[in-house]
């Protein structure tokens, strides 16, 4: 009986914090090995600092089945209150590829904020094309997104 108590104590002490555990989903661009959304970049920092900044492990939140990291507690609180605003649109998939009917993960280093929403791109030239005519890409990407999203694992 003492063995099971010891085993339970070891497992409880070694189990990660609930915020650090994420479910598997494809609906948000996530690193399959770390479980981190958008490679651990802070989605709020794009708005507050106009920069792609790495989040820190001590400032995490679970949302939409993945773990998000933030640079500070204030950014985490802003995101938790409004993930629909601060989270990348289309789950972090490149909207220029959605227009072509495919889902390609955006790279958090290639980004644009348009109409107070964050968009990620997998290539620099995709970002530049989008920035030249966001209205066109957003209309077409939005029309395709619901169909493409249905084929992604929840």
């Amino acid at each position: 009986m003492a063995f099971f108590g010891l085993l339970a104590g070891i497992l409880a002490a070694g189990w990660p914090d609930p915020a650090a555990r994420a479910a598997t989903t494809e609906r948000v661009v996530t690193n399959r090995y770390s479980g981190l959304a958008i490679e651990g970049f802070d989605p709020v920092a794009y708005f507050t600092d106009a920069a792609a900044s790495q989040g820190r492990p001590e400032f995490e939140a679970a949302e939409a089945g993945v773990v998000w990291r933030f640079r500070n507690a204030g950014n985490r609180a802003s995101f938790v209150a409004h993930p629909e605003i601060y989270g990348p649109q289309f789950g972090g998939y490149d909207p220029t590829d959605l227009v072509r009917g495919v889902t390609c993960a955006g790279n958090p280093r290639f980004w644009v904020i348009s109409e107070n929403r964050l968009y990620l791109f997998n290539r620099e030239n995709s970002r530049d094309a989008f920035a030249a005519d966001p209205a066109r890409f957003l209309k077409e990407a939005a029309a395709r997104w619901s169909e493409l999203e249905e084929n992604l694992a929840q």
Side-chain angles (χ1 to χ4, degrees), residues 40 71 116:
R71 292 186 44 224
N116 292 318

Side-chain angles (χ1 to χ4, degrees), residues 97-151:
D97 287 320
L98 296 178
V99 168
R100 295 184 311 112
V102 296
T103 52
C104 291
N107 180 328
R109 290 176 181 82
F110 302 129
W111 58 278
V112 167
I113 292 179
S114 179
E115 296 185 19
N116 292 318
R117 295 297 188 263
L118 173 63
Y119 299 93
L120 302 179
F121 304 88
N122 67 3
R123 297 176 307 280
E124 192 172 3
N125 61 342
S126 295
R127 178 199 60 200
D128 296 344
F130 176 91
D133 191 2
R136 182 188 76 118
F137 281 103
L138 289 177
K139 181 180 178 185
E140 293 179 35
R144 291 203 175 234
W145 176 239
S146 60
E147 176 188 338
L148 293 169
E149 185 181 30
E150 283 182 20
N151 294 321

Side-chain angles (χ1 to χ4, degrees), residues 36-37 40-43 55-57 59-61 67-71:
L36 294 174
F41 280 76
D42 180 342
R56 298 170 45 185
F59 301 113
E60 290 184 344
V67 175
W68 301 81
R69 282 196 176 161
F70 306 91
R71 292 186 44 224

